């Protein structure tokens, strides 16, 4: 029961931004920032969003340069051992290849574009202020999640 409630809570947090304009309109938006998501075990992760605390229903692709790319690069490296060419916030060919590799390993369309399907499928790098680290999907984190 607790796991079901945690998953429902995570799902609610993930989809909160989709209510006003719907998935088709928001999917076209590029991720421009990140929002910290905290779980009930005091771990946090930074998820790409449109603006600070905006919807996380957004995309990243080659050519993007921002903190959202930086956080994706950390996750690809720490949770999947993928070389993204560094943690520079620049979505270049190395980051695209790393993302394609992860997408392929998860049975996703390996298009090298980060979007909602990839967001939901990957294990994110979670940390605590004390320096603890783990990799979990958003729906596997002890919930409900809160965005701050």
């Amino acid at each position: 029961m607790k796991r079901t409630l945690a998953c429902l809570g995570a799902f609610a947090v993930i989809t909160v931004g989709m209510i006003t304009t719907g998935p088709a309109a928001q999917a076209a938006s590029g991720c421009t920032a990140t929002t910290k998501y905290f779980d009930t075990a005091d771990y946090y992760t930074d998820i790409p969003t449109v603006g600070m605390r905006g919807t996380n229903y957004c995309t990243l692709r080659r050519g993007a340069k921002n903190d959202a790319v930086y956080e994706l690069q950390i996750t690809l490296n720490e949770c999947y051992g993928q070389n993204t060419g560094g943690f520079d916030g620049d979505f270049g060919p190395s980051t695209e290849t790393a993302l394609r590799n992860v997408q392929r390993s998860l049975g996703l369309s390996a298009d090298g574009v980060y979007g909602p399907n990839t967001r939901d499928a990957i294990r994110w790098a979670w940390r605590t202020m004390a320096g603890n680290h783990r990799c979990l999907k958003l729906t596997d984190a002890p919930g409900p999640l809160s965005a701050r």
Side-chain angles (χ1 to χ4, degrees):
M1 182 64 167
K2 285 183 181 179
R3 190 145 184 86
T4 301
L5 290 174
C7 286
L8 288 172
F11 180 75
V13 168
I14 290 169
T15 59
V16 72
M18 296 180 355
I19 294 173
T20 56
T21 61
Q26 292 180 8
S29 298
C31 305
T32 58
T34 62
T35 296
K36 282 192 185 327
Y37 284 83
F38 290 83
D39 68 16
T40 57
D42 291 327
Y43 281 81
Y44 68 90
T45 189
D46 292 286
I47 301 297
T49 54
V50 177
M52 302 271 310
R53 297 189 67 177
T55 179
N56 61 24
Y57 206 87
C58 57
T59 60
L60 287 170
R61 59 180 30 103
R62 191 188 280 202
K65 295 178 184 180
N66 55 39
D67 288 341
V69 175
Y70 173 81
E71 292 300 334
L72 178 62
Q73 289 171 328
I74 287 175
T75 286
L76 293 172
N77 181 270
E78 289 183 11
C79 298
Y80 294 95
Q82 292 293 312
N83 178 2
T84 61
F87 307 118
D88 57 6
D90 185 354
F91 199 124
S94 296
T95 300
E96 182 178 56
T97 298
L99 182 58
R100 283 181 192 271
N101 291 340
V102 170
Q103 289 171 324
R104 191 174 299 108
S105 76
L106 296 172
L108 299 173
S109 173
D111 59 4
V113 177
Y114 167 88
N117 290 337
T118 301
R119 176 203 62 216
D120 293 344
I122 65 175
R123 290 174 290 134
W124 288 93
W126 293 77
R127 345 169 193 14
T128 65
M129 297 306 278
N132 298 322
H133 172 268
R134 67 180 184 196
C135 294
L136 285 177
K137 290 171 60 172
L138 289 173
T139 54
D140 290 339
L145 301 180
S146 62
R148 298 183 216 163

